Amino acid sequence: MAEKKGRQLNYELLRILAMLMIVCLHYLSKGGFLGDPVRLKISATGYAAWLIEAFCLVAVNVYVLISGYFGAGTETKDVLRRPFNIWKQVIFYSVIIGAIAIFTGIQQFDIYQIFTYIFPIVTEHYWFATSYIILCLFMPFLDRGVEKLDKKNLGKLLGAFLLIFCIAKTVIPMQLAWDKYGYDAFWFVTIYLTGAYIRRYGIPLINSKIKALALYLGSVLLIFVSFLVIRKVYFATGSLENFIHYGYTYNHLFCYLGAIGLFLAFCENFDKKAGGQGNRLERVRKPIELVSGATFGVYLIHEHINVRYLWVEWFHCKDWIDASLAGFLGHMIVTVLTVYCVCTLIEMIRKQVMTMIRKKDKSFNHKFM
């Protein structure tokens, strides 16, 4: 989330891809394309939607993996700077878009909704922002702990987290009390430690882009197949209804492995073997960094509580639920790209305005000091 000088462009491209995937996830779920998995018949478009959902599901984990990969081993003079900067951006969009919604009549005046705008973190207006800021508060402790632990003990610690928050829910066919489907800060800590481990020790078994992509694609396929198999079991026995789409959760083992595969496919160590790829990216460094720097803003805009179901109405998504496969795919691509580009432009304008305000403040203070 934080801006960094000399950012590695392969990971900035991954950040952009991940946000595109997140917008796609919201298109599928809020647009109604996934529907009810227990219905007897699913059209070709419906199956395509569930398959695309599996491809995109890893995006949230990838975002946190990037933070763990670059955050581990770093020292910050002000440990609250990162969460505070994220909070400022969150509350800006929460309040501004909320005010616009009330002024235009999209949202009726409601004191409880006002609290949601003003206190977006504690009310989980944006669940990702809430969990991520909590993670940020733990980052200094996590970074120092990673520095002190050797490979064996760090592996044991990570394994314990995975056993509790990932493996257990994957293999036990019941709802576990602590399972929040990966929407909680504990799962973010697990992903963060995974990124830190990869940074320090790598994963020797995945030592090429081909193997990394194979891990990603294989995990995606397993997510989709688990959906088909458990759904078939449900129709045959009437049991496991609540577990049909259990593989489609962020802390499921298949999603975890898929995120690692996609992340490693963009790994800088693999790029060094690829020759001049880095130089080619350097030619477009500025536009990549501009778009990548706006990704969190894309999330905050299109997932605002007054916008998240509105944009799917604007694009008439429900009219395309029963469309042909080609029509559905075309509408999805146009909608996702349009939402992404418009939100990116808005975030770029916001950042430019904030920069101008800061420059004026510095000029004013310098003039009258």
Side-chain angles (χ1 to χ4, degrees), residues 37-38 175 181 230 234 238-247 249:
V38 301
Q175 176 64 50
Y181 306 116
I230 298 177
Y234 164 72
S239 60
L240 300 180
E241 175 182 351
N242 296 328
F243 293 87
I244 292 177
H245 56 282
Y246 218 49
T249 51

Side-chain angles (χ1 to χ4, degrees), residues 281-329:
L281 287 179
E282 285 295 332
R283 298 172 187 172
V284 288
R285 168 175 284 276
K286 188 172 182 179
I288 290 176
E289 289 186 339
L290 282 173
V291 176
S292 174
T295 52
F296 191 50
V298 172
Y299 167 73
L300 295 176
I301 296 168
H302 88 279
E303 261 297 281
H304 188 278
I305 195 169
N306 292 125
V307 179
R308 61 182 59 161
Y309 289 103
L310 193 59
W311 62 267
V312 296
E313 292 183 9
W314 290 341
F315 286 93
H316 304 284
C317 292
K318 290 187 177 180
D319 295 341
W320 294 84
I321 292 176
D322 297 319
S324 66
L325 181 58
F328 156 68
L329 293 175

Side-chain angles (χ1 to χ4, degrees), residues 2 34 45 50 104 111 127 143 152 160 165 168 191 233 283-284 287 315 330 336 351 354 358 364:
L34 299 177
T45 297
W50 281 103
T104 58
I111 188 63
W127 74 265
D143 291 348
K152 182 178 180 180
F165 297 110
I191 296 295
V233 170
R283 298 172 187 172
V284 288
F315 286 93
V336 169
K351 292 178 72 173
M354 293 297 103
R358 283 194 294 267
F364 180 83

Side-chain angles (χ1 to χ4, degrees), residues 54-326:
F55 270 98
C56 297
L57 191 68
V58 303
V60 172
N61 288 346
V62 165
Y63 250 96
V64 184
L65 273 174
I66 294 173
S67 297
Y69 187 78
F70 288 103
T74 60
E75 293 186 4
T76 305
K77 293 181 180 179
D78 184 359
V79 295
L80 293 180
R81 184 182 64 181
R82 189 174 193 176
F84 181 66
N85 287 339
I86 295 171
W87 174 83
K88 287 192 299 182
Q89 189 177 0
V90 171
I91 199 167
F92 174 87
Y93 281 116
S94 180
V95 171
I96 294 299
I97 297 178
I100 293 173
I102 293 175
F103 181 77
T104 58
I106 294 174
Q107 170 65 50
Q108 293 183 350
F109 184 84
D110 185 325
I111 188 63
Y112 295 105
Q113 194 77 311
I114 299 297
F115 286 145
T116 302
Y117 299 148
I118 299 175
F119 305 104
I121 301 303
V122 295
T123 59
E124 285 196 332
H125 182 159
Y126 303 97
W127 74 265
F128 178 88
T130 298
S131 295
Y132 192 80
I133 285 181
I134 294 174
L135 171 64
C136 287
L137 296 175
F138 280 104
M139 282 183 185
F141 304 100
L142 295 173
D143 291 348
R144 186 57 59 90
V146 168
E147 290 176 358
K148 297 298 182 181
L149 293 174
D150 57 20
K151 181 179 180 180
K152 182 178 180 180
N153 283 304
L154 180 58
K156 287 182 177 179
L157 178 64
L158 178 57
F161 270 92
L162 287 173
L163 182 62
I164 295 172
F165 297 110
C166 177
I167 298 174
K169 68 87 50 77
T170 301
V171 300
I172 300 176
M174 63 177 291
Q175 176 64 50
L176 302 179
W178 61 75
D179 181 21
K180 307 301 180 184
Y181 306 116
Y183 289 92
D184 58 303
F186 282 118
W187 178 243
F188 278 24
V189 168
T190 306
I191 296 295
Y192 188 87
L193 289 175
T194 302
Y197 185 92
I198 293 173
R199 173 76 174 190
R200 292 172 69 88
Y201 306 112
I203 302 180
L205 291 176
I206 312 297
N207 55 13
S208 70
K209 285 185 179 295
I210 298 298
K211 291 181 179 180
L213 286 173
L215 177 61
Y216 166 61
L217 295 175
S219 299
V220 167
L221 182 61
L222 287 172
I223 292 172
F224 185 61
V225 169
S226 71
F227 167 78
L228 298 179
V229 171
I230 298 177
R231 185 170 178 270
K232 191 173 184 65
V233 170
Y234 164 72
F235 284 125
T237 66
S239 60
L240 300 180
E241 175 182 351
N242 296 328
F243 293 87
I244 292 177
H245 56 282
Y246 218 49
Y248 287 86
T249 51
Y250 299 127
N251 61 342
H252 194 279
L253 182 61
F254 298 155
C255 184
Y256 173 76
L257 294 176
I260 292 176
L262 185 59
F263 176 81
L264 289 176
F266 284 78
C267 184
E268 59 175 333
N269 295 328
F270 300 161
D271 286 339
K272 292 177 181 178
K273 302 176 183 179
Q277 182 178 352
N279 292 330
R280 290 194 296 271
L281 287 179
E282 285 295 332
R283 298 172 187 172
V284 288
R285 168 175 284 276
K286 188 172 182 179
I288 290 176
E289 289 186 339
L290 282 173
V291 176
S292 174
T295 52
F296 191 50
V298 172
Y299 167 73
L300 295 176
I301 296 168
H302 88 279
E303 261 297 281
H304 188 278
I305 195 169
N306 292 125
V307 179
R308 61 182 59 161
Y309 289 103
L310 193 59
W311 62 267
V312 296
E313 292 183 9
W314 290 341
F315 286 93
H316 304 284
C317 292
K318 290 187 177 180
D319 295 341
W320 294 84
I321 292 176
D322 297 319
S324 66
L325 181 58

